[in-house]
Amino acid sequence: MINLRDKGAELWEGANRLQRTAFALVAIFAALCLPYAGNFSLTNFLNTPISSYEAVLVYPVGMYILMALGLNIVVGKSGLLDLGYVAFFAIGAYTAAILGTHTHLNTWEILPMGMGFAMLAGVLLGLPTLRLRGDYLAIVTLGFGEIVRILAINTPSIGGPNGIAGVPQPPTVLGQAFDITHPDHFFWLVVIMILAVIWMVRRLSIRRPGRAWEAIRQDEDVALLMGVPILRYKIWSFSIGAAVGGAAGVIFASEQMFVAPQSFNYNVSVLILSCVVFGGMGNIWGVVLGASILSYLPERIRFISNAREFVFGLALVVMMNIRPEGLLPRKKREHLSDEERAALKATRAALTASKKASKKASEKASEKASEKAEKEASK
Amino acid sequence: MNLTTKRTLGVAAAVALAFGSVVATTAQAAPKSATIAFLSPLTGSEAGLGQDELLGAKTAIYEYNQTNPTVKVSLLTADDQADPSVSPGVALGLAQNASVIGVVGSCCSGATKADFPAFKAGRLTVVSPSATNATLTDPKSPTNGFPFFHRVAATDAFQGPALARYANKGVTAPKDYLIDDASTYGAGLKALTTPSLKSAGVTVVGSDTVIAPASDYSATASKVVASKANVVIYFGYYSDAGKLKKALDLAGYKGAYASGDGTDDDGYITSAGATDAEGTLITSQSVPFELAAPAAVLKDFTAATGLASPAGHAYVTQAYNATNVFLTCIKSGATSRAAIQNCVATGSFTDATGSKFNFTRYGDIAQGAPVGAYLVKGGKIIPVGNA
Amino acid sequence: MNFSVVGSQFFPLLINGLALGFIYVLVSVGYTMVYGVLRLINFANSEIFMLGTFATAIVSTSVFKFNQNSQPSHGMKLFIVLLCCLLASMATSGVVAVFVELIAYRRLRTKGANRLGSLISAIGTSITLSEGVRILTHSIPVASPRVLSKFYVFKIHGVGLRIDQLLTIASGLLLFIAVDRFVTKTRMGKAIRAVSMSEENSKLMGINLNRVISLTFLIGGLVTGAAAFMYMTVYEQTVFNVGFNIGLAAFTAAVLGGIGNLRGAFYGGLALGLAEEYFSALLGSQWKEITVFVVLVLVLLVKPNGLFGEAVQQTRV
C-alpha cells in the first residue's frame, strides 16, 4: 500500500517557500469556498440530501475536525486513550449556554472561559487518573464522559433533561453576521479555529512538549528514565486537548442556540476517536481527512436513512482491515538510510553490552537512540 | 428576508466575483405540485415512534392524491434521529429547500425545540403530532415556537392534572410514589403532575429518577415497597414502564400503577407481560387509529402502508391529523409558505373522527384536546372515557 | 440519603444485587479473557451479549410458541425449554464471538497494526451488529414471555429468594468455576495463559496462536451467551441496544477487579451489582452511575491495577 502521507511530505519538502505559501493559500481559499460548492453543477455532488449542506459543514464536519484535532493531541501525539472526549465538548457548550443566558458576556468573551473550564476539568480528571496506564485510563475517561452528561440531566438549575434554549449567537464581526441564515460565516469561523489548532499542534510538535509526548507515547518507562516529567506533560496534553474540545463546544452552543444532554452521549466520543484512528493517528492531515469523511459520509448517505449507521459501521470495519494504520498514517520510522542503519546497529550493540538496563528497556532505548541518529543524519 | 433568496443572492455575488459574470435567478411558475416534509426520528433510539407516525402521514397523503387534486402533494421524509444536535441541520435543510411548504414533526420535544431557529429563519410552518412539552407553546417562554409551531396533541399541562386525577381515583388515603425516566417528556410531565397531586391532598411519599433505558428496576421497586405507597405513577415510555411494572410485581407491590401517554402502546403489554400489565391505568390523548378513523380511511391505511391494521402503532391518528392540516390548506389554494402559515393559523380543520378544530395564537388546539383514560384489561389497552 | 430503605430492604437488595452481579461476572469474563490474551478491549462483547438475548427470545417464542398470554411451563417441558434457550444463547454468542475475532481482529493482528486500529474495527463491528438488529426489529423492544414461573424458593419474614435469582446465582457460580478450572487446569487453558503472558514466546513453544485466540473468544462468547440467557430469565426483555449498559457495567467490573484477571472479574462483577442496588436505594437511581464511577476512581487511586490485577505491562497505543 503506498504511503500517501510520505509521498505528500516528500513533495512538500521538495517545494520552495513560494510554492509552499502559494499552495497553503490556495488550500485555505478552497476550504473557505466550500459552503458555496453546493451551488455549482461541477461540485454540487457535495450537496447533502435533506439536511442543509452549509449547516452540515459547520456541524458535524467542522466541529468534528476541530475535536478530532484536539483528541489527536491526547491519543495520537501522547498515546493516552481517551474514550470520554465528549465531556470537554459538553463543558464548553454548557459554559456558553449558562453564561450566555445569565450574563451579558458575548460569545467571544465566553470562548476563552469555556476553554478554561474545559482545561480545568482536564487537569482535575488528569491529576488522579493520568498515573493509570493504558486501558485503565480508557475506562475512567469513558466514565467521565458519561458522568458529565448524567450530571447535566440531574441538575435542574441548568435545565436538566430539557437543556438550555436561546443561547445567544456571536456578535457581528467585520460586517459578517453570525445567525442561522449564515452557516457559511460559522464555517469560516470554524476553519479559522481549525487553522489555529493546526498551527499550534505543529509548533508544539517540533518543540519540547511535542518531543516529550512522542517519548511518552513510544515508551513511558524509557521517557521517565530519560528525565521527562511524564505526569506534567501528560496533563498538558490532556488539558490542551480539552481546551480545543471546549472551544468547539462554545461555538457549537452558539451556532445551534440550544444545548441538551442528549447531544453529548458516548457515541460522539467514539465517533471522534474513530475519526482520529480512521484518518491516521498522530498525523494532522490524516485526522482532518478522517474526520471530514466520517462526519460527512452519514449526512451524504441520508437517503438510505434507515441503513445509514449500519453502512457506517461496515465502512469502519472494512477500512481498518484494508488500512490498519489509517488513511494517512504517521511518518514511518523504519525506512532508514544505510548510514542510519549503521548508527542504529552501533547504538544497539552499545546498549546490549550495558548489563544494568533490563533487556526490554534497552530495546526501547535503542529505538530512541536510533531516532536521534536519524535526526542527526538528516541534518 | 427569505432564506432561499438570501442564499441565492450570496451565491450570485460569489459567482460574479469569481467569474466576472452575473447569474440571473429564474422566477418560479405556478406550482403543480407541493412537498410536505415529515420530520421525525427514523433511526436512533426513538425510531419506533417516528416510524409509527410515518404511517399516519403516508395514509393522509395517499388519500389526498387519490382524489386527483390540481396540486399533487409528495411527502419528503427527513430523519432527525430525535437528536437535538443533528436535528437543526436537517431542519435548516428543509427551510432552505424551496419546494417544502410545511413540516409534519417532530415527534419529540427536545429535537423540536432545537429546530425552532431554523424554522423561524425559513418562515416554515410546523405541525407536530406528539411534541407535548408545555414550554413549546408557552407565551411566556422566550424560546417558544411562535408563530410557526403548532401541535395536534394536548400539552402535558393538560395531561398532568388528568393523570393525577385518574391515578388516584377511588383510592382511599392515596400515597403516591413518582418515578420518571429523565427524558424531556418524562421529567416535564412529572413536574406538571406534582402540583395537582399536592392540591388534591395526595401525599407524595417518594420519588425516583431512572435514566432510561435501564435494565434493572429492582432497587426502585424495593424503595417503593419500603415507602408503603399505594399508587405508583411512571413518567416515561412504554418499554421501561413495562420493566418497572414487572419489577414492582416481583417485589410484592400490590397498589395501583399509572402512566402517561408514553405508555399508551401495545408494546407496554408485551414489555410487562399480559399478567403484570393487567389493571394499569394510562392517560393519553392518542386515540387508536382503528377506533378513530372510519372504515374507508382504514382501507386507505392498508393501501398506503401495506399493513393490515394500525393496531399497536402509536400516534398514527395524530400524524394523520397533522398532515391533513396541511392538505386542507393546499386544497384551499395555499401553496406558498406564507399562505400556508396564514391558513394554518386561521383555518378550521377536521380530525380523523370528524370533529372540527383550529389553533390558538400560540399553536395549541383551541378546543383543548381531551385527555382520554385507558385501562389495561385482558391484555388490551381499553378506553374508559375521559380522565 | 435514604438509610431507612437500605435498612428495611437490606436482604431484597442483597439478593437482587447478587443476581445482577452474577450476570455482570459472566459478561466481564468475556471482556477479561480477550483482554488477557490480546491486551484489547473487545468492544463488540456488548453486541455478543445482545445477540444472545435475542437467541433466547426467538427460541422461546418461535420454537416453543410461548406468547404473552401463555402460562409458564412446568416439569420436564420447563427443563427442556430452558435448556434449549440456554444452548441457543450460548451457541449464538459463541459463534458470533469467533466471527468477530475473524472479521475485526485477525487481519489487523497478523499485519501487526496498532491496538487502536483493532479497537476501531471492533467498534465498527459493534455498530454494524446492533444497527443490523435494529433494522430487523424496527427498534422495537422484544419481550420474552415468562417461561419460568417466578415462585419463591423460600421466604422468611417477607424476604425470599426467587427461582430465577437462585438459577442465576447458582449457574453463574458453576459456570465461573468451570471456566476458572478450564483455564488453570487443562492443556488448552495452559496455552491460553501462556499466550497471555507472552505471545512471542508461546509461538516459539509451538502453540498455535490463531487457534488459542479463537478458543479464547469462543469461551468468552459462550459465557457471555449464558449471561444473556440469565438476563432474559430475570428481566424478560431485550432491545437492539441492550448491550450498551450491560457491557459498560461489565467492563467497569472487569477493570475494578483488575482486567485480564478472571477472579478479579468475579469480585468486580459482584461488587458492581451490589453497589448499583445499594446506591440506587440510598441516593436515587439517577446517581447510580456517578457513584459507581467515583468508587472506581477511588479504587484505582489506591490500587492502580484494580483490586486483583497484576501490573499491566506498558501498553502502546
Side-chain angles (χ1 to χ4, degrees):
Chain A
M1 194 67 69
I2 55 157
N3 189 336
L4 285 173
R5 198 253 168 229
D6 284 357
K7 194 84 199 152
E10 211 175 283
L11 286 173
W12 184 252
E13 311 265 304
N16 60 34
R17 200 181 175 85
L18 185 69
Q19 284 168 320
R20 287 183 187 187
T21 320
F23 177 78
L25 285 178
V26 169
I28 292 169
F29 181 74
L32 291 177
C33 287
L34 266 180
Y36 306 110
N39 301 95
F40 301 105
S41 56
L42 193 66
T43 50
N44 68 5
F45 66 91
L46 283 170
N47 258 341
T48 47
I50 300 163
S51 35
S52 161
Y53 167 67
E54 293 95 326
V56 162
L57 281 182
V58 183
Y59 183 92
V61 179
M63 291 290 165
Y64 275 38
I65 295 177
L66 196 55
M67 286 194 277
L69 284 169
L71 184 62
N72 184 44
I73 301 172
V74 184
V75 180
K77 293 284 177 200
S78 26
L80 305 165
L81 181 49
D82 182 350
L83 288 176
Y85 190 67
V86 72
F88 305 120
F89 183 53
I91 290 169
Y94 266 96
T95 307
I98 296 166
L99 293 180
T101 50
H102 285 84
T103 67
H104 294 293
L105 297 172
N106 70 35
T107 310
W108 312 127
E109 290 154 359
I110 293 170
L111 186 61
M113 300 171 82
M115 291 167 73
F117 281 122
M119 273 181 108
L120 188 67
V123 174
L124 287 182
L125 176 69
L127 271 177
T129 58
L130 282 173
R131 292 168 211 273
L132 300 172
R133 290 244 164 131
D135 298 307
Y136 287 92
L137 183 64
I139 180 73
V140 171
T141 48
L142 200 169
F144 181 67
E146 285 289 282
I147 295 320
V148 168
R149 183 177 66 87
I150 292 171
L151 266 180
I153 292 178
N154 289 350
T155 315
S157 57
I158 56 168
N162 290 325
I164 301 171
V167 182
Q169 298 195 304
T172 305
V173 173
L174 304 172
Q176 305 295 319
F178 289 94
D179 59 40
I180 187 119
T181 54
H182 291 100
D184 46 347
H185 296 167
F186 276 102
F187 179 69
W188 293 345
L189 174 63
V190 176
V191 169
I192 291 167
M193 290 170 71
I194 290 171
L195 290 173
V197 172
I198 291 178
W199 178 79
M200 178 185 77
V201 173
R202 283 177 68 96
R203 302 305 287 177
L204 285 176
S205 295
I206 56 171
R207 279 174 169 70
R208 194 177 176 81
R211 289 203 301 272
W213 292 337
E214 181 67 21
I216 293 170
R217 186 182 67 81
Q218 296 220 352
D219 197 311
E220 221 176 294
D221 298 323
V222 175
L224 192 68
L225 289 173
M226 298 293 217
V228 177
I230 289 191
L231 188 65
R232 192 200 301 164
Y233 279 109
K234 275 184 169 179
I235 288 180
W236 267 119
S237 150
F238 219 60
S239 48
I240 292 174
V244 176
V250 172
I251 302 303
F252 169 80
S254 57
E255 193 248 348
Q256 306 248 336
M257 302 169 74
F258 180 72
V259 293
Q262 300 103 289
S263 305
F264 308 110
N265 57 27
Y266 163 73
N267 292 353
V268 180
S269 298
V270 166
L271 205 58
I272 299 164
L273 182 66
S274 306
C275 295
V276 173
V277 181
F278 185 85
M281 243 192 323
N283 175 16
I284 295 172
W285 309 113
V287 169
V288 171
L289 183 68
S292 322
I293 293 176
L294 290 192
S295 54
Y296 176 73
L297 183 74
E299 293 295 332
R300 185 68 188 82
I301 59 174
R302 219 164 236 291
F303 53 90
I304 53 166
S305 199
N306 203 23
R308 194 175 62 234
E309 296 285 308
F310 180 78
V311 171
F312 175 77
L314 221 52
L316 277 187
V317 182
V318 172
M319 268 308 302
M320 291 324 290
N321 270 294
I322 298 172
R323 288 190 82 101
E325 299 291 325
L327 288 172
L328 299 178
R330 77 168 99 233
K331 203 167 185 179
K332 284 260 191 287
R333 301 285 175 186
E334 293 93 272
H335 307 300
L336 303 174
S337 71
D338 288 348
E339 304 146 79
E340 284 163 351
R341 242 179 256 282
L344 175 64
K345 212 173 170 186
T347 23
R348 259 188 214 286
L351 277 163
T352 28
S354 139
K355 296 266 186 260
K356 277 177 192 168
S358 74
K359 195 186 165 198
K360 188 167 176 287
S362 76
E363 242 173 39
K364 311 284 178 183
S366 72
E367 258 182 52
K368 288 288 311 156
S370 76
E371 252 169 60
K372 224 177 184 176
E374 188 192 345
K375 256 185 213 130
E376 273 163 15
S378 65
K379 273 178 196 167
Chain B
M1 201 196 298
N2 184 307
L3 181 63
T4 328
T5 346
K6 211 166 189 175
R7 189 174 144 202
T8 323
L9 287 177
V11 173
V15 172
L17 266 175
F19 301 103
S21 66
V22 176
V23 178
T25 49
T26 48
Q28 284 190 335
K32 277 275 172 279
S33 68
T35 305
I36 295 174
F38 174 81
L39 177 68
S40 258
L42 302 172
T43 62
S45 54
E46 306 294 333
L49 190 53
Q51 298 281 6
D52 280 357
E53 289 178 3
L54 182 57
L55 303 173
K58 274 186 175 162
T59 309
I61 300 279
Y62 173 84
E63 281 188 330
Y64 173 84
N65 283 338
Q66 284 300 98
T67 60
N68 250 335
T70 43
V71 183
K72 283 263 184 193
V73 173
S74 55
L75 191 68
L76 176 71
T77 52
D79 174 16
D80 67 2
Q81 295 162 265
D83 179 341
S85 56
V86 172
S87 196
V90 180
L92 191 61
L94 297 177
Q96 289 175 341
N97 185 341
S99 65
V100 174
I101 57 171
V103 178
V104 177
S106 173
C107 83
C108 305
S109 305
T112 306
K113 208 173 205 173
D115 292 343
F116 282 167
F119 291 137
K120 285 178 183 170
R123 308 192 75 75
L124 191 53
T125 307
V126 196
V127 180
S128 169
S130 59
T132 52
N133 189 292
T135 60
L136 298 178
T137 52
D138 183 0
K140 286 195 285 291
S141 163
T143 52
N144 64 20
F146 176 78
F148 299 103
F149 178 74
H150 305 76
R151 58 179 152 201
V152 292
T155 75
D156 294 338
F158 287 97
Q159 201 191 160
L163 180 56
R165 260 197 317 277
Y166 185 47
N168 293 293
K169 207 153 114 188
V171 181
T172 45
K175 282 183 283 188
D176 285 19
Y177 201 98
L178 312 178
I179 300 156
D180 74 297
D181 69 345
S183 70
T184 310
Y185 158 74
L189 185 58
K190 188 187 194 177
L192 289 164
T193 308
T194 317
S196 309
L197 289 172
K198 298 236 160 93
S199 63
V202 173
T203 334
V204 177
V205 290
S207 168
D208 197 8
T209 299
V210 186
I211 298 168
S215 311
D216 182 56
Y217 280 92
S218 53
T220 307
S222 294
K223 283 204 267 188
V224 172
V225 172
S227 73
K228 307 218 165 22
N230 53 13
V231 175
V232 171
I233 309 180
Y234 181 69
F235 306 93
Y237 296 98
Y238 65 88
S239 159
D240 283 84
K243 289 186 250 183
L244 173 61
K245 182 65 173 45
K246 253 182 194 171
L248 285 171
D249 283 9
L250 287 175
Y253 171 74
K254 296 275 188 282
Y257 184 66
S259 187
D261 55 348
T263 304
D264 181 21
D265 189 301
D266 281 352
Y268 171 67
I269 316 276
T270 29
S271 174
T275 330
D276 285 337
E278 198 70 12
T280 303
L281 308 165
I282 298 169
T283 58
S284 174
Q285 74 292 72
S286 162
V287 193
F289 199 52
E290 62 273 24
L291 299 182
V297 176
L298 289 177
K299 211 173 269 171
D300 290 335
F301 175 87
T302 307
T305 64
L307 294 173
S309 155
H313 298 285
Y315 283 103
V316 178
T317 316
Q318 264 77 5
Y320 178 81
N321 291 347
T323 316
N324 267 331
V325 166
F326 288 115
L327 295 174
T328 312
C329 284
I330 293 170
K331 220 179 278 175
S332 73
T335 51
S336 71
R337 286 185 187 181
I340 289 277
Q341 209 258 310
N342 185 35
C343 167
V344 171
T346 56
S348 169
F349 309 96
T350 317
D351 67 14
T353 56
S355 6
K356 296 266 180 208
F357 68 94
N358 62 299
F359 293 107
T360 63
R361 186 172 150 77
Y362 286 93
D364 277 320
I365 292 183
Q367 286 71 13
V371 180
Y374 295 80
L375 175 70
V376 177
K377 207 172 173 189
K380 285 205 165 51
I381 300 174
I382 298 167
V384 290
N386 285 347
Chain C
M1 291 267 180
N2 195 340
F3 286 106
S4 66
V5 171
V6 177
S8 66
Q9 296 288 314
F10 185 80
F11 289 104
L13 288 170
L14 177 73
I15 292 166
N16 287 328
L18 281 178
L20 184 63
F22 270 102
I23 294 172
Y24 286 162
V25 168
L26 295 184
V27 183
S28 341
V29 167
Y31 281 104
T32 225
M33 293 273 297
V34 171
Y35 190 87
V37 168
L38 290 182
R39 295 277 177 267
L40 286 174
I41 305 163
N42 183 9
F43 261 83
N45 203 40
S46 48
E47 267 49 62
I48 292 169
F49 174 85
M50 179 269 292
L51 289 169
T53 60
F54 273 95
T56 298
I58 289 169
V59 169
S60 65
T61 51
S62 303
V63 179
F64 292 101
K65 307 286 177 214
F66 280 92
N67 60 46
Q68 62 191 42
N69 298 316
S70 58
Q71 291 301 311
S73 61
H74 299 281
M76 199 58 197
K77 188 181 174 206
L78 172 70
F79 180 72
I80 292 170
V81 174
L82 288 182
L83 192 67
C84 286
C85 289
L86 174 66
L87 290 179
S89 190
M90 287 176 76
T92 310
S93 296
V95 169
V96 172
V98 172
F99 267 102
V100 164
E101 195 266 323
L102 280 179
I103 293 163
Y105 291 105
R106 178 153 298 177
R107 207 180 128 86
L108 281 143
R109 186 167 53 77
T110 48
K111 277 180 133 182
N114 64 49
R115 299 169 59 252
L116 275 183
S118 312
L119 189 78
I120 300 300
S121 102
I123 288 174
T125 317
S126 165
I127 295 175
T128 313
L129 289 175
S130 78
E131 280 296 305
V133 171
R134 187 189 63 71
I135 293 168
L136 290 177
T137 58
H138 304 288
S139 319
I140 298 167
V142 174
S144 169
R146 189 161 291 178
V147 174
L148 174 69
S149 155
K150 298 199 168 175
F151 59 87
Y152 279 89
V153 183
F154 68 82
K155 206 165 185 180
I156 311 158
H157 297 303
V159 178
L161 180 65
R162 284 200 321 269
I163 181 73
D164 55 317
Q165 295 169 325
L166 177 68
L167 199 71
T168 304
I169 294 171
S171 50
L173 194 60
L174 279 177
L175 239 132
F176 180 78
I177 292 171
V179 173
D180 194 52
R181 288 265 139 169
F182 178 83
V183 173
T184 48
K185 302 279 185 238
T186 64
R187 210 179 139 75
M188 283 313 284
K190 206 182 236 174
I192 292 178
R193 280 183 297 138
V195 173
S196 82
M197 279 172 194
S198 166
E199 211 174 277
E200 284 301 306
N201 288 338
S202 53
K203 224 153 115 187
L204 294 174
M205 290 297 161
I207 291 172
N208 184 339
L209 206 59
N210 281 347
R211 230 176 80 199
V212 170
I213 290 172
S214 287
L215 180 78
T216 311
F217 272 87
L218 179 68
I219 295 171
L222 290 176
V223 175
T224 306
F229 164 77
M230 292 168 192
Y231 177 86
M232 288 305 275
T233 334
V234 177
Y235 299 113
E236 300 173 333
Q237 190 178 137
T238 184
V239 66
F240 71 96
N241 57 8
V242 70
F244 179 72
N245 282 337
I246 300 284
L248 188 58
F251 180 42
T252 311
V255 172
L256 191 65
I259 193 158
N261 180 321
L262 266 185
R263 294 189 186 169
F266 183 80
Y267 295 113
L270 289 188
L272 201 75
L274 291 171
E276 284 198 355
E277 290 294 308
Y278 285 116
F279 283 138
S280 295
L282 201 61
L283 301 168
S285 305
Q286 73 270 39
W287 298 104
K288 178 173 74 183
E289 287 89 351
I290 295 180
T291 41
V292 165
F293 172 74
V294 171
V295 168
L296 178 74
V297 170
L298 291 180
V299 167
L300 290 181
L301 271 181
V302 183
K303 293 191 71 99
N305 297 307
L307 291 174
F308 299 89
E310 309 107 50
V312 174
Q313 286 300 308
Q314 165 67 18
T315 44
R316 280 197 194 189
V317 171

